[in-house]
Amino acid sequence: MKIASFAAAVVAATGLAHATSIVAPVAISSPEGSNPGFPIADIINQVGLDAAYTPGVTDFDSYTASTLHDDFDGTGFTNTESNGPQVFTFSLASLTTVDAIAIWNTGSVGAVTSFSLEIDDDTDRSNGVLGTVLAQQALATNSGSQSAQVFAFSEVTSMVFHVVGLSSLAPPDFYGLGEVAFRSASAPVPVPGALPLFIAGIGALAAKRRARK
């Protein structure tokens, strides 16, 4: 068996997993401002989620599949009275490669019902953006606890993302969301116990080939 074939067999047998940790925004802003009673900071501070996560550590896929958000606690709204659509700008800690966004929506009045996602090199959308990652997407609203809605896209590297609320339950005054997080796009990494077995197997195979020569 060739080393490459053996490596593939070890990967299949031991489960080299894909790292999909949560990437959390560190800041949020909106040209429309923030509703004092429902500040948009609540969209990135885990308020309302029924379980906490650790950015860069917690697995995105398993967390978003099982964690709910309270319909009212932690919901954030923009603060305009005459303008729509409305924009939520999310800043990450640094340039980061991501491939999905999770949105826990709200079911209360003014919940965003459709959105698009853009990347930018600064937080000022009025001077142009670098590109559109997701064209218009429908966003479901429900009463009671909300589950995450995950939207995957091709890998992009950016520090600034605009979620553009294209429609809401109460346009043009109110556009609201519950919580937002992103998924890291990383190379496969070994699950515990897989890497030692992989290295040992490669070493044994190499020694056997040397003995034949």
Side-chain angles (χ1 to χ4, degrees):
M1 182 184 290
K2 295 182 179 180
I3 291 179
S5 298
F6 181 81
V10 172
V11 168
T14 59
L16 290 183
H18 191 77
T20 62
S21 60
I22 291 179
V23 177
V26 296
I28 182 173
S29 60
S30 174
E32 288 78 31
S34 181
N35 188 301
F38 299 90
I40 57 174
D42 284 348
I43 299 174
I44 63 171
N45 62 10
Q46 303 189 45
V47 174
L49 294 172
D50 64 8
Y53 66 78
T54 301
V57 175
T58 303
D59 181 75
F60 176 96
D61 294 332
S62 58
Y63 181 85
T64 55
S66 61
T67 303
L68 301 178
H69 185 279
D70 185 271
D71 187 16
F72 295 103
D73 185 20
T75 293
F77 283 89
T78 56
N79 190 40
T80 186
E81 294 299 328
S82 60
N83 202 15
Q86 296 175 28
V87 181
F88 302 86
T89 297
F90 298 87
S91 299
L92 308 185
S94 60
L95 283 172
T96 307
T97 303
V98 300
D99 64 3
I101 183 173
I103 299 178
W104 287 264
N105 204 9
T106 176
S108 57
V109 174
V112 171
T113 53
S114 69
F115 75 98
S116 62
L117 181 65
E118 303 167 342
I119 57 173
D120 207 341
D121 56 359
D122 62 23
T123 58
D124 184 2
R125 183 173 179 264
S126 67
N127 62 13
V129 299
L130 294 181
T132 299
V133 178
L134 290 171
Q136 184 167 2
Q137 304 288 314
L139 195 59
T141 62
N142 301 294
S143 59
S145 295
Q146 312 292 310
S147 58
Q149 297 170 64
V150 176
F151 302 86
F153 45 81
S154 298
E155 293 183 6
V156 295
T157 301
S158 184
M159 191 166 67
V160 177
F161 293 82
H162 302 297
V163 171
V164 183
L166 299 174
S167 60
S168 81
L169 293 179
D173 296 344
F174 302 108
Y175 286 71
L177 296 170
E179 184 83 15
V180 169
F182 294 87
R183 180 174 68 189
S184 66
S186 304
V189 297
V191 296
L195 185 57
L197 178 59
F198 178 81
I199 294 173
I202 292 295
L205 183 58
K208 185 176 181 179
R209 293 184 67 179
R210 286 196 299 271
R212 287 177 177 174
K213 294 181 179 179

